[in-house]
Amino acid sequence: MGTFVWVIGAALLLSVGVTVNACPPSDRAALLAFKAGLHEPYLGIFKSWTGNDCCNKWYGVTCDPTTKRVADINLRGESEDLLFQKAHRTGYMTGTISPAICKLERLSSVIIADWKGISGTIPPCISSLSFLRILDLIGNQISGEIPSDIGKLRRLTVLNVADNKLTGRIPRSLADLSSLKHLDLRNNLISGTIPRNIGKLRMLSRALLSGNRIYGPIPETISYIYRLSDLDLSLNRFSGQIPDSLGKMAVLGTLNLDGNMLSGKLPATLLNSRISILNLSRNAIEGSIPDVFGPRSYFMIMDLSYNKLKGSIPKSISSASFIGHLDVSHNHLCGQIPVATWFEHLEASSFSYNDCLCGKPLKACL
């Protein structure tokens, strides 16, 4: 009798153990509902999504080791994974992101990237995932708007929805993402203006907004983001003057404003700052190039082409510590090109289509 009781007890303990070590049935059901909204015909990434335990070798799924709740969904359509190497191809997936994903309440990261064919919208309920740190949906066909209450995700450090078909405005609540470090909205159909409260994003280091339909002035408040090192607002419809304060930012190293409708004068602060990649080409910037270059001026790239700049290239440019690539073509500049050691590698095309520039690498001055 004692042996029988022991066997029953052991069996019960074993069954309890299996339950504790497996993901909750609710998480498994949510994952299967998420999978049902998608179609991946070539690689078979969902073939492993079988059995009761979604924490056990389900491709792209990671669980918290203690709670066994699903913590990460990491599905990349471009990967070095063996599955992709065997298939000799990148991934392609169609379908939509099911709102069932929002039932995975302990999600820390959602990466559904570079599948090229996933459409539909970002489920608005995504804003309820209070533990979410990474939301990466780059390289799909997702449309609709960024959820208006995205700002609820106070732990979010990465928001990457680049290379999709998103429309609408940048939600004002975006500025409430107090942990955000990386914002990538490139190559969508986003319009409207940048919210003035953007300066609240004090942790932000990269803001990539190029290739949209964003208009209006560049908000002065961007300069309040003191950790910002990379700002890309190129290929939009920004107008007005470039704020002087951008050149006073402590760590801003890359500033791309090319392909807009910016006007006014070139701020002197940009030429004697920490910025090493400066692209202001294809705007309507006028006036002269400020004569403020000095030892702090270090440019890997400085592109001022296709503007309305007049006057001469300032002599102080020779005192810059380095300029790797300079392009001042397609302006109205005149006079002698200053002599500088690092000008020797520049081609005539960097200075062409101006009114009357002369000297190396163009024709000698008369």
Side-chain angles (χ1 to χ4, degrees):
M1 182 68 180
T3 305
F4 177 74
V5 170
W6 181 85
V7 170
I8 294 291
L12 280 169
L13 278 171
L14 193 62
S15 67
V16 169
V18 169
T19 306
V20 169
N21 289 322
C23 71
S26 58
D27 278 16
R28 179 179 176 275
L31 283 172
L32 292 177
F34 163 74
K35 171 192 165 188
L38 297 167
H39 177 59
E40 190 282 296
Y42 301 112
L43 299 167
I45 64 163
F46 291 126
K47 283 181 181 175
S48 62
W49 286 31
T50 58
N52 289 329
D53 187 5
C54 59
C55 299
N56 185 21
K57 298 180 181 177
W58 282 34
Y59 184 89
V61 177
T62 310
C63 297
D64 182 285
T66 308
T67 64
K68 298 298 175 183
R69 298 296 305 272
V70 174
D72 304 298
I73 295 175
N74 186 354
L75 300 174
R76 295 184 184 274
E78 294 179 6
S79 170
E80 299 294 316
D81 192 273
L82 194 61
L83 199 64
F84 290 76
Q85 290 179 17
K86 283 181 178 177
H88 301 291
R89 60 167 298 138
T90 58
Y92 180 77
M93 197 188 300
T94 56
T96 60
I97 299 171
S98 168
I101 201 171
C102 305
K103 293 178 181 176
L104 300 167
E105 298 152 3
R106 305 293 294 201
L107 273 176
S108 175
S109 65
V110 174
I111 301 171
I112 307 166
D114 296 313
W115 291 102
K116 307 170 191 69
I118 296 176
S119 56
T121 61
I122 301 171
C125 61
I126 209 100
S127 303
S128 68
L129 295 173
S130 58
F131 290 90
L132 200 61
R133 294 179 185 275
I134 296 171
L135 179 59
D136 185 350
L137 306 176
I138 188 174
N140 289 294
Q141 301 282 332
I142 298 168
S143 57
E145 301 186 7
I146 298 169
S148 60
D149 58 352
I150 191 87
K152 288 180 180 177
L153 299 174
R154 298 298 167 89
R155 288 182 170 92
L156 200 69
T157 60
V158 174
L159 176 58
N160 186 354
V161 291
D163 301 327
N164 279 287
K165 293 183 176 178
L166 293 169
T167 54
R169 303 170 74 93
I170 298 171
R172 186 172 167 77
S173 80
L174 188 94
D176 295 327
L177 295 171
S178 51
S179 302
L180 196 66
K181 295 178 180 177
H182 179 98
L183 174 65
D184 194 346
L185 309 180
R186 288 176 297 175
N187 303 324
N188 279 285
L189 303 167
I190 296 167
S191 58
T193 57
I194 293 182
R196 285 189 180 180
N197 62 353
I198 191 94
K200 288 167 62 182
L201 295 172
R202 297 300 169 90
M203 300 297 289
L204 194 66
S205 63
R206 301 188 81 202
L208 311 176
L209 278 66
S210 67
N212 281 288
R213 299 174 179 180
I214 306 167
Y215 55 82
I218 298 171
E220 185 95 24
T221 49
I222 284 181
S223 61
Y224 300 168
I225 309 173
Y226 51 79
R227 284 184 171 88
L228 193 64
S229 63
D230 186 350
L231 177 61
D232 188 353
L233 305 180
S234 62
L235 304 173
N236 277 289
R237 297 173 185 179
F238 289 104
S239 57
Q241 298 195 5
I242 300 168
D244 286 2
S245 54
L246 294 182
K248 299 173 184 176
M249 295 179 68
V251 294
L252 188 65
T254 300
L255 180 61
N256 290 319
L257 303 178
D258 49 299
N260 281 288
M261 298 182 285
L262 297 165
S263 57
K265 294 189 173 182
L266 174 58
T269 54
L270 299 182
L271 305 182
N272 202 354
S273 67
R274 291 182 178 273
I275 297 169
S276 61
I277 296 175
L278 177 66
N279 191 344
L280 307 180
S281 69
R282 297 180 189 274
N283 280 287
I285 300 165
E286 53 202 11
S288 58
I289 300 173
D291 194 5
V292 294
F293 291 91
R296 277 190 70 193
S297 308
Y298 181 100
F299 290 98
M300 289 188 282
I301 297 171
M302 183 166 66
D303 192 343
L304 307 177
S305 63
Y306 291 91
N307 277 289
K308 298 180 179 179
L309 295 167
K310 295 179 180 177
S312 60
I313 297 173
K315 287 187 170 61
S316 67
I317 202 166
S318 304
S319 66
S321 59
F322 178 73
I323 298 183
H325 172 78
L326 173 71
D327 193 344
V328 294
S329 65
H330 297 269
N331 279 287
H332 300 288
L333 299 169
C334 206
Q336 183 161 5
I337 297 169
V339 176
T341 52
W342 34 259
F343 267 21
E344 291 171 9
H345 67 271
L346 295 176
E347 298 180 7
S349 59
S350 293
F351 302 95
S352 59
Y353 296 97
N354 276 285
D355 289 1
C356 46
L357 280 179
C358 61
K360 283 188 177 181
L362 300 180
K363 291 180 181 177
C365 299
L366 299 172

